[in-house]
């Protein structure tokens, strides 16, 4: 009986995700997205990797250069890569809003995600906020404390994502 249960569990574990290649890690994508080390320091970076949706990353440097990448899974469309430069006032406003959201106080409440749930990561290097926060996707949406930061990232992501289509 125990052997049969183990065989079923192992079969489910091994079969899940076989039809899709694993996404590139968020850290590898961010390093590629960051480009040369000659630029201003990165103050905000967001990344998420999911086998069905692909890999998405954005970053903002202290000099206002902002980049966005969406790398869909194989055969699911062309990658999107955009870059723009935010005015100093926009960077200052972003820093203020992020600092006010207090994301470095966020912690995951769960040890594991739900089926097929991704775990977005936020890295900050601001004067008053230096941390890396990884929460499960639904935690970013459902936790009242995380929602404010998630809204800031969503707004920034949408601005960057559509910058190339203007």
């Amino acid at each position: 009986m125990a052997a049969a249960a183990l065989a079923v569990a192992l079969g489910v574990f091994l079969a899940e995700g076989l039809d899709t290649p694993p996404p590139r890690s968020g850290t590898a994508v961010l390093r590629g997205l960051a480009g040369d080390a000659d630029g201003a320091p990165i103050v905000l970076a967001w990344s998420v990797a999911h086998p069905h949706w692909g890999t998405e990353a954005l970053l903002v440097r202290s000099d206002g250069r902002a980049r966005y990448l969406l790398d869909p899974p194989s055969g699911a469309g062309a990658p999107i890569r955009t870059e723009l430069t935010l005015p100093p006032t926009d960077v200052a406003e972003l820093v203020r809003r992020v600092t006010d959201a207090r994301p470095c106080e966020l912690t995951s409440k769960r040890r594991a995600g739900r089926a097929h749930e991704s775990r977005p990561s936020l890295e900050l290097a601001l004067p008053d906020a230096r941390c890396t926060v990884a929460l499960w996707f639904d935690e970013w949406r459902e936790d009242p404390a995380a929602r404010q930061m998630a809204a800031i990232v969503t707004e920034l992501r949408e601005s960057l994502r559509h910058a190339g289509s203007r």
Side-chain angles (χ1 to χ4, degrees):
M1 181 75 156
L6 178 60
V8 169
L10 187 57
V12 168
F13 174 76
L14 292 175
E16 188 171 329
L18 283 180
D19 58 338
T20 57
R24 294 169 46 195
S25 81
T27 302
V29 171
L30 279 176
R31 286 189 182 133
L33 189 63
D36 305 320
D38 66 345
I42 296 170
V43 296
L44 180 148
W46 168 271
S47 63
V48 61
H50 190 279
H52 300 289
W53 304 324
T55 303
E56 184 177 55
L58 67 86
L59 65 85
V60 178
R61 292 182 182 273
S62 62
D63 64 0
R65 282 185 298 147
R67 292 183 178 174
Y68 172 82
L69 164 80
L70 175 62
D71 197 2
S74 198
I80 298 171
R81 288 174 173 73
T82 61
E83 183 172 345
L84 61 88
T85 301
L86 302 171
T89 55
D90 287 1
V91 174
E93 178 65 9
L94 176 64
V95 168
R96 184 196 64 74
R97 290 178 64 203
V98 169
T99 302
D100 288 350
R102 301 165 52 172
C104 293
E105 296 175 10
L106 299 172
T107 58
S108 181
K109 311 283 189 289
R110 296 190 271 138
R111 292 183 58 135
R114 298 175 179 133
H116 304 291
E117 185 178 19
S118 59
R119 193 165 193 190
S121 177
L122 173 71
E123 297 175 42
L124 298 173
L126 306 174
D128 295 327
R130 292 181 101 59
C131 62
T132 299
V133 179
L135 300 178
W136 295 103
F137 183 81
D138 286 340
E139 288 180 307
W140 285 107
R141 292 182 322 119
E142 296 168 357
D143 182 318
R147 236 188 328 252
Q148 182 180 4
M149 188 64 228
I152 294 167
V153 169
T154 298
E155 181 183 317
L156 181 60
R157 181 179 63 226
E158 291 306 310
S159 294
L160 290 170
R161 183 175 179 154
H162 299 293
S165 62
R166 290 182 219 163

